[in-house]
Amino acid sequence: MTALPLPLPRPSRPGTALLPYTDEPVALLQLDAADAPGAASAVYREVRRGRRVVAVACGGEDASDRLANALDAIGVAAVRPAPGDALLEGDVAIVPGPATAPSRARPASSPVPRVALAGCGVVGGGVLTRLLADPRFEVVGVLVRDPARARRPAIPAGLALSDPAALLAREPDILVEAISDASTGLALIRAALSRGVDVVSANKQAVGADLPALAALADGGGARLRYSASVGGGAPMIETVRRARAHGAVVRIEAVLNGTCNFILNRLADGLPFEDALSAAREAGFAEEDPSADLSGLDAAAKLVILGHEALRGRLVAKELAREGLGPDTALPIGRVRQLARLDVRSGEACVALHAVDGDTLFGDLPDEWNALRVITGDGRVFTARGRGAGRTPTAESLWADLIDLTET
């Protein structure tokens, strides 16, 4: 793979098939679509850095199809321009490449990071599959409630543990934390950071509990903390807020942050009764057996706390935010409704509430489990992000991107 951030010139004459003029960097990637998930990962990491991407798909006639399907599973939209068209009408363009990807020189060998995985459910299981198949990592332990239980993917013999202390006793270099329980996850993150172990987490309740304290603990222990997967699944929301903050003072954040509620609200708009909409969300894998954190707005509030920290370096408390719940007796506004999390710096308002969004091009047509974010800076510039906000593939992809970033920095 090659990645070239290029500030591109204006076309020299009409009809020239160059990229549209932009001051934003563009990554030109030559990818082997025989490993479609790996190729999609390379594109995703560039997208969340704020780059536009031209992806050259190598590997035969269906290489472009395989890459497009892998990107769609994450929630990254791609265009496939016809010959002669401008390459970047969207953020990602796929163009066909040679049948065989060019060989790359392997980098000099370096120590293989020892990785401990906490949690092997929907998201953790997705990460484990990739860890076991990737020679760049050594899995030293997997924390689960019941080590004897049969799982898919199967945990290799000797790796399953039920004691967090025993997991850290195996001296990992990196902890990948994908536990659903907030208190257990938070205690494990704190213990790892205090030992100097780098942490990658998808646990929004744990990370959002006291992010400034966790950041200070990481600094004090010489460790690094990454938590992009805790907000937005595959949508690069934390990175988008960071880009906005680098541009200027953030004055407003508004976002759809809960895929379960978005799925249910779309089904309610189609005329389904509430219980049927909730059952459909469960069957699709987007709702837990106990969906109270989603429906009460607590899940979205925890994510808004994390985004608020990124924007303002301040401390919000999820349980103190005003929240409007969604249930069978909720009177919805007329029109297309979303559960919106909002932070207005000027008024001091931070809340999660149900709002009609008819006419809003970012939120109005948001499908199924997708999330979306709008960040506004003091000079009126708007930064946005959209993507799949729930499910194994997009959330595991975000964890994986953080993990790869740690190993490359």
Side-chain angles (χ1 to χ4, degrees), residues 1 118 189 274 320:
M1 181 196 80
I189 292 170
F274 179 85
E320 295 177 359

Side-chain angles (χ1 to χ4, degrees), residues 190-208:
R190 284 172 171 162
L193 294 175
S194 65
R195 290 174 178 232
V197 176
D198 294 333
V199 173
V200 175
S201 178
N203 192 331
K204 63 269 182 180
Q205 299 289 355
V207 171

Side-chain angles (χ1 to χ4, degrees), residues 238 245 310 346:
I238 288 174
R245 189 189 69 211
E310 293 295 335
R346 289 166 176 162

Side-chain angles (χ1 to χ4, degrees), residues 273-350:
F274 179 85
E275 292 301 334
D276 291 347
L278 177 57
S279 295
R282 286 197 177 107
E283 291 173 5
F286 302 135
E288 303 286 347
E289 273 309 304
D290 178 7
S292 57
D294 299 317
L295 300 179
S296 69
L298 185 59
D299 177 86
K303 295 170 181 176
L304 184 61
V305 164
I306 295 170
L307 296 179
H309 171 80
E310 293 295 335
L312 308 173
R313 288 295 184 234
R315 185 172 186 269
L316 302 173
V317 179
K319 291 183 179 180
E320 295 177 359
L321 268 61
R323 291 180 281 118
E324 181 181 5
L326 174 63
D329 299 322
T330 302
L332 296 177
I334 297 173
R336 180 65 68 173
V337 178
R338 299 289 176 231
Q339 183 197 63
L340 284 185
R342 288 178 166 174
L343 171 61
D344 191 308
V345 175
R346 289 166 176 162
S347 69
E349 176 193 21

Side-chain angles (χ1 to χ4, degrees), residues 179-263:
I179 298 174
S180 58
D181 180 69
S183 59
T184 302
L186 181 57
L188 187 56
I189 292 170
R190 284 172 171 162
L193 294 175
S194 65
R195 290 174 178 232
V197 176
D198 294 333
V199 173
V200 175
S201 178
N203 192 331
K204 63 269 182 180
Q205 299 289 355
V207 171
D210 195 352
L211 187 48
L214 290 179
L217 187 61
D219 290 341
R224 296 171 293 177
L225 173 63
R226 300 289 185 271
Y227 45 88
S228 288
S230 66
V231 183
M237 293 195 169
I238 288 174
E239 291 78 10
T240 301
V241 173
R242 288 172 179 168
R243 284 197 296 277
R245 189 189 69 211
H247 170 77
V250 173
V251 298
R252 188 172 180 84
I253 291 173
E254 48 193 16
V256 172
L257 297 175
N258 186 271
T260 301
C261 281
N262 199 65
F263 186 99

Side-chain angles (χ1 to χ4, degrees), residues 22 32 37 48 53 95 119 124 182 191-192 202 206 222 252 256 311 340 349 407:
T22 175
D32 185 358
R48 77 177 202 163
V53 179
V95 297
R252 188 172 180 84
V256 172
L340 284 185
E349 176 193 21
T407 63

Side-chain angles (χ1 to χ4, degrees), residues 57 61-70 80 94:
E61 293 183 1
D62 63 345
S64 296
D65 291 337
R66 281 181 275 137
L67 178 55
N69 290 337
R80 297 164 69 175
I94 300 174

